[in-house]
Amino acid sequence: MWPGDGGAAYQPPVAGEPPAYQPPAHQPPPGEPSHRARAKRPVALIAAVAIAAAVIGGGVSALVQELTDNGTSGSSSVAGTTVAQSSKGTVAGVAQAVSPSIVEISATSNAGQSTGSGVIITGDGEIITNNHVISGADSVKVRLSDGKTYTAKVVGTDPDKDLALIKLEGASGLKAAALGDSTKVRVGDEVVAIGSPEGLTGTVTSGIVSALNRDVTVAKEQDPSRQQQGGGGWPFEFGGQQFNGDTGSSKTTYKALQTDASLNPGNSGGALINMNGEIIGINSAMYSPSSATGSTAGSVGLGFAIPIDTVKADLDDLRSGGNG
């Protein structure tokens, strides 16, 4: 009897007929190494197939990763700026992704020089900024985050919305910012502001959206006696009061986002950004209280930005010359 055969007795085969039962070989008979060699072949074959599958799988994985990196499954990307998935939702991640799209603008006129900021919206150098940053300028110079400088021409202005479009001369391959949707902005949303306050290019601050649809009134034209750089914040009116000086007789009112992200003179025209790296507003005004000596005391967390949907709706007019 053989183990595992259910107790059946072994029956020898009848001559000329195949055996009715073949006992299992539990151990290779001694002295037959060729049997052991044959037993190893399937194991080696399985190992080889597994290695091949791993190589093929790795190649497919790499291909899928490459494709998704060029899409959106591995990152948050809209029309330019990209926040890496590992840094999404962080100030550092937003700053790293968007800073190359923010520029410093120096506008020179007979009255002197004003400094502001701007946002690159196309790879060939279209830049959105505030009208009051470049109003009355005879020449406009732009410095990128990497230090390169360009001469820019004013393409179109819209003093009623305090917006302007300028274009760099001879630029290409620039990193354009992603324009978001300001209708989705909610009070309490975290935001990042990037600009060039007091000429400090690429300054990053953060805060939240404090309020929506604030009626902010600003002057339509730059006051030669009050330049942005060294002359305090851009004057504006809110709630029937004037801040940072007299706005003059020629003024306009628009709906703005309010933020407590620190804004200072020179931030005008820069970006207010959500945590996905999308531009949701163009910073335009801030309250800068004056000390007894008349110098500015810095930001107190009252800043305003033109909603990006207002900008997008105005782009075609700006590109055709605007209202200026």
Side-chain angles (χ1 to χ4, degrees):
M1 296 177 63
W2 294 89
D5 64 0
Y10 172 70
Q11 298 294 329
V14 179
E17 294 184 7
Y21 175 79
Q22 291 292 337
H26 294 280
Q27 296 180 350
E32 295 187 10
S34 60
H35 290 185
R36 288 194 298 270
R38 283 196 298 270
K40 291 181 180 179
R41 287 192 189 114
V43 176
L45 178 59
I46 291 172
V49 171
I51 293 172
V55 172
I56 295 173
V60 172
S61 175
L63 177 60
V64 170
Q65 182 64 40
E66 180 179 355
L67 293 175
T68 54
D69 283 348
N70 291 330
T72 58
S73 62
S75 61
S76 173
S77 175
V78 183
T81 53
T82 301
V83 178
Q85 188 67 30
S86 60
S87 300
K88 187 176 179 181
T90 68
V91 174
V94 171
Q96 182 179 20
V98 184
S99 288
S101 301
I102 312 302
V103 303
E104 178 185 305
I105 299 174
S106 298
T108 304
S109 67
N110 292 332
Q113 179 176 293
S114 63
T115 300
S117 306
V119 180
I120 300 172
I121 60 171
T122 63
D124 60 353
E126 282 189 339
I127 294 172
I128 283 288
T129 186
N130 289 139
N131 178 64
H132 73 256
V133 171
I134 53 84
S135 176
D138 298 318
S139 67
V140 178
K141 300 290 185 181
V142 173
R143 182 168 65 171
L144 306 186
S145 63
D146 62 4
K148 292 181 181 178
T149 59
Y150 290 86
T151 298
K153 65 178 182 179
V154 177
V155 176
T157 62
D158 188 344
D160 289 334
K161 296 184 177 70
D162 195 16
L163 291 173
L165 180 69
I166 64 175
K167 177 74 178 295
L168 303 185
E169 296 180 354
S172 63
L174 304 183
K175 188 172 184 179
L179 304 185
D181 183 350
S182 52
T183 65
K184 296 180 179 179
V185 176
R186 297 292 179 265
V187 174
D189 285 351
E190 292 182 276
V191 290
V192 174
I194 305 179
S196 299
E198 305 294 356
L200 300 174
T201 305
T203 296
V204 177
T205 59
S206 65
I208 63 169
V209 174
S210 304
L212 306 175
N213 299 317
R214 293 296 201 194
D215 288 322
V216 175
T217 299
V218 298
K220 286 188 177 183
E221 302 296 335
Q222 176 72 281
D223 182 354
S225 66
R226 191 177 186 85
Q227 299 297 331
Q228 263 207 313
Q229 188 173 35
W234 177 243
F236 69 97
E237 297 176 10
F238 175 74
Q241 300 183 60
Q242 290 185 338
F243 302 93
N244 305 339
D246 186 5
T247 56
S249 58
S250 179
K251 60 187 71 174
T252 185
T253 300
Y254 55 80
K255 300 288 186 180
L257 304 174
Q258 181 181 330
T259 180
D260 70 348
S262 178
L263 303 179
N264 289 283
N267 270 113
S268 289
L272 190 67
I273 313 156
N274 66 20
M275 302 310 288
N276 290 325
E278 300 165 340
I279 312 299
I280 58 169
I282 300 298
N283 298 320
S284 57
M286 42 74 63
Y287 175 43
S288 180
S290 297
S291 67
T293 60
S295 62
T296 58
S299 172
V300 294
L302 291 175
F304 301 91
I306 301 167
I308 200 61
D309 282 13
T310 300
V311 177
K312 291 190 290 187
D314 208 29
L315 269 179
D316 287 343
D317 286 341
L318 290 173
R319 285 169 171 151
S320 63
N323 301 329

